[in-house]
Amino acid sequence: MTSSSPETRRLQDCFNGLLSLVAAPALWSGKGPDWVMREVLDMLARMLNLDLAYSRLDDGSGGAIRELARSDRYADADRRVHEIGVAVEPWLRTQQAGECHVVPNPFGAGELNVTCLSLGLKEGGGFVLAGSRRPGFPADTDLLLLQVAVNQAVVELQRAQVVAAKQRAEAAEAHSTYLRQESEQHWGEIIGASAPLAQALKLVEEVAPTNACVLIQGETGTGKELIARAIHRLSHRSQQPFVRLDCAAIPAGLLEAEVFGHERGAFTGAVARRIGRFELADRGTFFLDEVGEIPLDLQAKLLRVLQEREFERVGSSRTRRIDVRLIAASNRDLGQMVEARTFREDLYYRLNVFPIEMPPLRERGEDIPLLARHFLQVHARANNRSITAMEPGGLAALCRYAWPGNVRELSNIIERCVILTHGSTLHVSADALKPRGAVPAVDNSLAGAQRQHILQVLEGCHWVIAGPTGAAARLGMKRSSLQYRLQKLGIVRPT
C-alpha cells in the first residue's frame, strides 16, 4: 500500500480542520468578539501551518481597535504586521467581506508570504492576516479555508455584537430601575453638631476622594447608610451608581446570585439572566450593609473581587472585570467574629482599610433636640399635620431616654407621636418611650449607669451645677469635672 504524499496528508488535515470549523459555532454561543477571533486564529494556525496569524478588529464603538495575534514562530511580528495592516487599509475599504488579497513578500524577498481578508460587520470592521514561509503559500486550498474561516468568524462576530448590545440594554434598564427604587427610599441627611458625629464626618471628608475600602461599624439605626452615601457624594464617582445590598435581608442560598448575578438556568427558579449588584455598581460605589451576615464560602469570592477586580456570574464561566469602590458596614464586632472563625481574617483586613465608627445616639445627647425637630417637620408634612412646636416636657423626656434603637427609633417615635397629636404642639406620651419587644430600654453599661445617675441628680436640683446644693456638690465632684463628664456622656439641658 503506497503511503500518501505530504501534500495529500496536508490537504486531508485541512479538510478535517474545515469540518471541525463548521461544527465549532455550537461551541461559540455567548462568547465575546475577542474570544471568537482568538479561536479563529488558533484554527487557522493549526490547519494551515502558519507562521503568523493576526487580526485587527474595530468594535464599532467610535474607533476602539483590538489587535490579536498568534505569532509564536516569527520575531517582532506584531509591530511589523501592524504596519502591513495600515498599508492595506485603503484597499480594505473597497472590498466586500471575505474577499482575499495576497500581499507578496511584505517582510522582504522570500521571507514570508501574507494574505489578507476583510471583515464586513454591522458594527465596525477589520481584517485577518495569515502568513507562512511554506513554498507556494497561499495555494487555492489555503484561500478556500481562509475564506470559510473568516466568513464563519463574521457570522459569530455579528452574533456576539447582537448579544453585547442586548446585554448593554439590559444593564441600562437594570441601572435605571435600581436607581429609581433607591431614590424613593432615601429618607434624609446627616443632622447633628455633637463632637462624636463631627469626628466621624471628618473621617468621611478624608477618605471620600480616595478609592480605599471603608468599613463603617456601629449599632443598628446609627445612620451607617447615610455615611456611605456621603462618602459616595464627595467622591469622584458621585455621577456613577450608588448600589446597596442588605446582606441580612437576603437568604444565604440566594446571596451569591444577588451579589454576582446569574445566567438563565443556573439553578431552580433562574428563568432569566440577572445582572448582579456588583455589575450594577460598575464605575460607582457598592455599599454592602451587614457584611457580617455573609457565609464563609461567599466571603472567599468577595475577597477575590476586591483583589482581582473580576468575577463570574453564577452558572457562567466567563470572567468579567469591574471597577467598583466597596463600602461595607456591620453592627457586629467583626474582630470578634474573626477570633471565633466565623469571618475570614484576610477579608476583614481587606475591608478594614479605613474604619469609621458611628457613635450611638446616647453619646450624641446635644443632637437629640436637632433630630427631634427635623423628624417633626418631616413626619408632620408626610402625614398632613400642622404641628409647629414640641412640648418642653416631651423634649426633656426624649433627651433622658437611652435610645437602644438610635436615630431610627427616634424617627419612629416622633412619627407615632405626630399621628396621635391633635393640635399644633407635639405631645410625647410616656407610653411612646416604653421599651417594646426584646429591645432593652436601659443601657446597662457602666457609662449608661453613670449617665442615668447624673441625670437623676441634675433633675433633682433643677439642673443647677454649681453651689452648695448644686449637682456637682451632691455628686462629690468639682464643677469642671462634672462639666467634662456631661460633655463626654452627651448630656445637655433640655430647652
Side-chain angles (χ1 to χ4, degrees):
M1 185 177 211
T2 304
S3 60
S4 58
S5 67
E7 180 63 16
T8 301
R9 289 196 300 272
R10 191 184 74 81
L11 291 176
Q12 183 63 46
D13 291 341
C14 289
F15 178 73
N16 293 335
L18 180 60
L19 292 178
S20 67
L21 179 63
V22 173
L27 303 176
W28 297 356
S29 177
K31 303 297 185 180
D34 285 359
W35 191 96
V36 171
M37 286 310 305
R38 285 194 176 94
E39 191 70 13
V40 169
L41 295 179
D42 282 339
M43 287 181 177
L44 289 175
R46 290 195 305 270
M47 290 190 303
L48 303 180
N49 193 25
L50 298 178
D51 294 289
L52 177 102
Y54 179 93
S55 73
R56 184 175 177 187
L57 178 65
D58 181 352
D59 64 5
S61 61
I65 300 295
R66 292 193 292 273
E67 297 180 356
L68 306 170
R70 289 291 180 269
S71 53
D72 298 335
R73 290 179 288 177
Y74 199 87
D76 201 25
D78 290 357
R79 180 181 63 82
R80 298 180 68 181
V81 82
H82 174 72
E83 296 172 358
I84 299 174
V86 173
V88 301
E89 273 188 298
W91 168 84
L92 288 169
R93 296 191 187 101
T94 66
Q95 304 302 308
Q96 296 182 357
E99 289 193 358
C100 293
H101 177 65
V102 178
V103 187
N105 305 324
F107 292 162
E111 187 178 3
L112 183 70
N113 288 330
V114 172
T115 184
C116 178
L117 289 85
S118 63
L119 298 176
L121 299 173
K122 292 180 180 178
E123 296 183 15
F127 59 84
V128 173
L129 294 176
S132 176
R133 293 187 179 92
R134 177 161 46 83
F137 179 84
D140 290 343
T141 53
D142 298 323
L143 295 177
L144 173 62
L145 286 168
L146 281 168
Q147 286 179 311
V148 171
V150 171
N151 288 339
Q152 188 60 56
V154 168
V155 173
E156 295 305 323
L157 287 169
Q158 289 176 342
R159 184 180 302 173
Q161 289 174 340
V162 171
V163 172
K166 182 179 179 181
Q167 290 177 344
R168 288 194 298 268
E170 290 175 351
E173 176 62 24
H175 272 108
S176 175
T177 301
Y178 182 84
L179 295 176
R180 183 173 64 253
Q181 293 173 346
E182 284 300 297
S183 65
E184 294 170 354
Q185 294 173 2
H186 187 52
W187 58 267
E189 300 296 332
I190 301 170
I191 294 174
S194 63
L197 180 61
Q199 183 178 359
L201 295 180
K202 183 179 180 181
L203 294 176
V204 169
E205 293 178 347
E206 294 286 346
V207 75
T210 73
N211 282 316
C213 284
V214 179
L215 178 60
I216 308 171
Q217 293 195 276
E219 298 176 8
T220 299
T222 52
K224 296 187 288 293
E225 182 179 341
L226 291 180
I227 291 294
R229 289 184 181 274
I231 294 172
H232 176 71
R233 285 197 302 271
L234 295 174
S235 75
H236 66 275
R237 300 171 183 265
S238 60
Q239 300 304 311
Q240 302 301 328
F242 176 90
V243 178
R244 64 180 291 274
L245 176 65
D246 184 355
C247 299
I250 307 294
L254 299 178
L255 194 55
E256 180 178 358
E258 191 70 29
V259 173
F260 299 119
H262 62 76
E263 297 293 337
R264 179 180 179 182
F267 51 85
T268 303
V271 296
R273 177 192 296 115
R274 180 168 183 176
I275 297 175
R277 301 296 177 95
F278 259 117
E279 282 186 84
L280 287 173
D282 193 23
R283 297 182 298 151
T285 303
F286 185 21
F287 175 51
L288 205 54
D289 201 4
E290 303 305 343
V291 69
E293 303 298 328
I294 296 180
L296 280 169
D297 57 340
L298 186 53
Q299 290 178 25
K301 297 180 180 180
L302 177 59
L303 180 63
R304 181 202 169 194
V305 177
L306 295 178
Q307 293 177 336
E308 307 296 335
R309 301 292 180 181
E310 60 183 29
F311 70 100
E312 292 85 31
R313 289 178 184 166
V314 177
S316 172
S317 59
R318 177 185 172 187
T319 299
R320 302 171 187 273
R321 293 195 61 81
I322 54 169
D323 173 23
V324 171
R325 197 238 185 108
L326 184 69
I327 302 177
S330 179
N331 63 356
R332 304 174 65 179
D333 190 328
L334 297 184
Q336 290 184 357
M337 293 182 66
V338 169
E339 294 179 0
R341 299 184 181 277
T342 57
F343 199 86
R344 290 181 62 105
E345 184 177 19
D346 47 6
L347 177 58
Y348 173 66
Y349 289 125
R350 190 66 183 81
L351 294 175
N352 200 33
V353 173
F354 196 92
I356 296 179
E357 187 74 26
M358 283 301 295
L361 186 55
R362 61 181 173 274
E363 295 179 6
R364 298 171 50 194
E366 60 192 283
D367 291 340
I368 293 175
L370 297 175
L371 288 165
R373 293 188 179 97
H374 167 73
F375 290 131
L376 172 58
Q377 294 176 358
V378 170
H379 295 308
R381 183 168 56 250
N383 290 281
N384 298 316
R385 296 297 176 90
S386 298
I387 303 176
T388 58
M390 185 179 300
E391 292 177 349
L395 184 58
L398 294 177
C399 291
R400 289 194 301 269
Y401 189 58
W403 299 111
N406 293 293
V407 179
R408 184 177 297 131
E409 184 184 12
L410 174 59
S411 174
N412 293 339
I413 285 179
I414 294 295
E415 182 175 16
R416 184 161 58 251
C417 293
V418 165
I419 294 172
L420 295 174
T421 295
H422 300 282
S424 61
T425 301
L426 185 74
H427 172 67
V428 180
S429 65
D431 290 340
L433 298 179
K434 286 183 178 180
R436 287 169 173 79
V439 179
V442 178
D443 181 5
N444 291 320
S445 66
L446 177 60
Q450 290 178 344
R451 190 176 192 278
Q452 291 298 322
H453 179 57
I454 292 174
L455 280 170
Q456 290 176 0
V457 173
L458 285 169
E459 290 175 357
C461 60
H462 305 289
W463 287 83
V464 175
I465 294 178
T469 60
R474 294 189 183 187
L475 292 168
M477 303 172 65
K478 295 181 180 179
R479 182 180 65 178
S480 59
S481 298
L482 178 57
Q483 289 173 333
Y484 170 77
R485 182 65 59 182
L486 295 177
Q487 182 179 7
K488 185 175 181 181
L489 294 175
I491 297 175
V492 293
R493 182 172 183 172
T495 57

